[in-house]
């Protein structure tokens, strides 16, 4: 028997055992290194002004589920709240970008956006935002911005009511001021004609197609009498019986706060019926019916009225694009502890 070959075999076995023992350590190191790289990549994107779908993966891993649960509870309590939360994100982004400025109460230094004409006695859901924010602060203090909360809540509201889902890009920070005048100048009123709507959305970097798709959010929610009064009494591009039925609850004078469904067919389901209503001249707002009134948007309305999948796809694309309007990132702004006031 060759003693050298026996010794060699023992030596090789020892080396194999060492390699096997080192494998778990190497795998563990690679795993944790990968986590660090992913987290660093998300932080770097935000620092460079780019939003990331993984922004809170390491800093607040429960953020998305906390918002989702809060939204679901709020809509279960009041179905209308889904449309209200979606609208908050839209009205926030259209005024100096998606920075949570809409949520700020008035201070001695500025008059906020809540009392601006498009928002006064109209935008709602602030208490829901407060509740969700409190839970986020309990889970991960000073991490999740109010602006991001609105973006996530808008998506989750849409999904809860039967609409599409999309990956929300995150990493926005909150503004330290708000502007009533900017809100009144930037948010298109319900009296807008098609050219004004196109211009208003173009000013935010959104195309006509984006505008028509985003208008589909009016497939859910309600509007006040003051928003559609002129349309039902003075416009001719409206179904006569539809107008008369609305005139019964919304007289020429009074009942300003009476509500009507934006989508008379399925007001609490996110679907294509909004566009189908327009084809029948049953858009509640003047600005709604302008999308189908012999103009450049007619073809898109026709398409969305026939194809739910395409509407959902284009709505999702437009929501992501809108959510990227001038976000504050890096060291700009702050992460508000209370969405109603600056830290």
């Amino acid at each position: 028997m060759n003693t050298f070959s026996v010794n060699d075999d023992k030596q090789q076995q020892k080396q194999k055992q060492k390699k096997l023992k080192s494998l778990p350590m190497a795998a563990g190191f690679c795993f944790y290194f990968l986590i660090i790289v992913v987290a660093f990549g998300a932080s770097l994107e935000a620092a460079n002004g780019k939003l990331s779908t993984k922004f809170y993966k390491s800093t607040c891993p429960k953020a998305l589920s906390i918002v989702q649960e809060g939204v679901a509870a709020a809509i279960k309590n009041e179905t209308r709240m889904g449309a209200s939360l979606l609208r908050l994100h839209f009205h926030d982004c259209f005024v100096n970008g998606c920075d949570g400025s809409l949520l700020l109460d008035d201070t001695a230094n500025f008059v906020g956006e809540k009392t601006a004409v498009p928002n006064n006695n109209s935008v709602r859901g602030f208490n829901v935002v407060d509740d969700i924010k409190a839970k986020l602060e309990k889970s991960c203090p000073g991490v999740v911005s109010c602006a991001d909360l609105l973006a996530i809540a808008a998506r989750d509201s849409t999904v809860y009511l039967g609409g599409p889902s999309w990956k929300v890009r995150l990493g926005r920070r909150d503004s330290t001021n708000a502007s009533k005048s900017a809100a009144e100048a930037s948010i298109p009123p319900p009296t807008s004609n098609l050219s004004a709507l196109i211009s208003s959305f173009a000013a935010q970097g959104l195309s006509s197609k984006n505008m028509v798709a985003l208008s589909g959010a009016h497939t859910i929610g309600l509007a006040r009498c003051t928003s559609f009064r002129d349309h039902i009494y003075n416009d001719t591009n409206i179904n006569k019986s539809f107008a008369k039925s609305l005139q019964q609850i919304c007289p020429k004078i009074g009942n300003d706060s009476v509500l009507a469904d934006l989508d008379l067919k399925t007001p609490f389901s996110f679907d294509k019926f909004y566009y189908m209503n327009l084809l029948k001249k049953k858009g509640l707002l003047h600005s709604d019916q302008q999308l189908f009134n012999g103009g450049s948007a007619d073809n898109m309305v026709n398409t969305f009225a026939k194809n739910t999948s395409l509407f959902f796809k284009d709505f999702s694309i437009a929501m992501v694009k809108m959510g990227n309007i001038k976000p504050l990132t890096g060291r700009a702004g702050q992460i508000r502890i209370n969405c109603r006031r600056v830290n």
Side-chain angles (χ1 to χ4, degrees):
M1 184 175 179
N2 191 329
T3 56
F4 288 106
S5 64
V6 171
N7 289 335
D8 287 346
D9 288 343
K10 288 181 179 178
Q11 192 77 13
Q12 289 175 358
Q13 286 178 353
K14 287 181 180 180
Q15 288 177 350
K16 285 180 180 179
Q17 287 175 350
K18 284 182 180 180
K19 287 181 180 180
L20 288 171
K21 286 181 180 179
S22 67
L23 281 175
M25 291 181 63
F29 174 77
C30 290
F31 175 72
Y32 288 114
F33 179 74
L34 181 61
I35 290 178
I36 293 171
V37 169
V38 170
F40 178 74
S43 300
L44 187 62
E45 280 186 330
N48 291 332
K50 294 181 180 180
L51 305 181
S52 168
T53 57
K54 300 176 181 178
F55 187 78
Y56 297 115
K57 187 172 183 179
S58 60
T59 56
C60 192
K62 294 182 179 179
L64 294 178
S65 60
I66 289 172
V67 177
Q68 183 183 47
E69 290 169 7
V71 167
I75 299 176
K76 188 175 181 180
N77 181 60
E78 182 193 10
T79 311
R80 181 190 175 195
M81 188 54 66
S84 299
L85 293 173
L86 176 56
R87 191 162 178 248
L88 282 178
H89 184 45
F90 172 83
H91 281 227
D92 179 44
C93 290
F94 262 58
V95 186
N96 296 322
C98 309
D99 59 3
S101 59
L102 173 59
L103 303 175
L104 287 170
D105 290 336
D106 295 350
T107 70
N109 298 320
F110 61 77
V111 177
E113 298 162 23
K114 291 180 179 179
T115 56
V117 173
N119 298 330
N120 196 32
N121 297 317
S122 180
V123 290
R124 55 198 298 278
F126 300 112
N127 289 337
V128 173
V129 172
D130 291 340
D131 291 342
I132 295 174
K133 178 61 171 172
K135 291 174 183 176
L136 288 169
E137 285 301 312
K138 186 177 180 180
S139 179
C140 33
V143 174
V144 182
S145 69
C146 301
D148 275 350
L149 192 168
L150 290 183
I152 301 168
R155 188 272 310 276
D156 291 346
S157 295
T158 302
V159 172
Y160 190 95
L161 295 175
S165 182
W166 59 91
K167 291 185 177 180
V168 181
R169 296 175 184 173
L170 304 166
R172 302 169 190 80
R173 289 169 64 84
D174 299 321
S175 67
T176 55
N177 55 60
S179 172
K180 178 182 178 181
S181 59
E184 292 179 340
S186 303
I187 300 172
T191 54
S192 300
N193 58 28
L194 181 60
S195 61
L197 288 170
I198 293 172
S199 297
S200 179
F201 279 71
Q204 306 294 343
L206 299 168
S207 68
S208 295
K209 186 177 184 180
N210 296 150
M211 182 269 292
V212 177
L214 289 172
S215 295
H218 283 183
T219 189
I220 54 175
L222 306 165
R224 298 169 69 228
C225 171
T226 52
S227 299
F228 58 83
R229 178 180 280 130
D230 286 345
H231 180 49
I232 64 175
Y233 284 103
N234 301 322
D235 287 347
T236 57
N237 62 337
I238 183 172
N239 180 283
K240 290 183 179 180
S241 61
F242 176 59
K244 286 182 180 179
S245 67
L246 290 168
Q247 288 169 6
Q248 293 178 9
I249 62 169
C250 179
K252 290 184 177 180
I253 299 175
N255 286 4
D256 288 357
S257 296
V258 167
L259 299 171
D261 298 326
L262 283 162
D263 175 355
L264 76 154
K265 200 79 174 177
T266 54
F268 299 116
S269 295
F270 200 99
D271 52 35
K272 66 178 182 178
F273 276 102
Y274 167 77
Y275 300 105
M276 295 174 72
N277 293 334
L278 297 184
L279 299 183
K280 299 175 182 178
K281 296 187 177 181
K282 292 183 178 181
L284 181 64
L285 308 178
H286 173 86
S287 55
D288 287 333
Q289 197 57 56
Q290 282 291 297
L291 300 184
F292 190 76
N293 193 37
S296 59
D298 282 13
N299 287 337
M300 283 180 279
V301 171
N302 259 314
T303 300
F304 291 151
K306 296 174 183 176
N307 193 327
T308 299
S309 297
L310 185 59
F311 163 46
F312 279 12
K313 177 185 175 183
D314 287 343
F315 181 82
S316 299
I317 291 171
M319 284 298 292
V320 171
K321 192 174 179 181
M322 184 183 76
N324 203 38
I325 297 175
K326 295 185 290 185
L328 298 174
T329 57
R331 295 184 179 181
Q334 62 180 214
I335 304 298
R336 279 188 238 132
I337 306 304
N338 183 328
C339 292
R340 294 176 180 265
R341 60 174 180 264
V342 175
N343 296 341

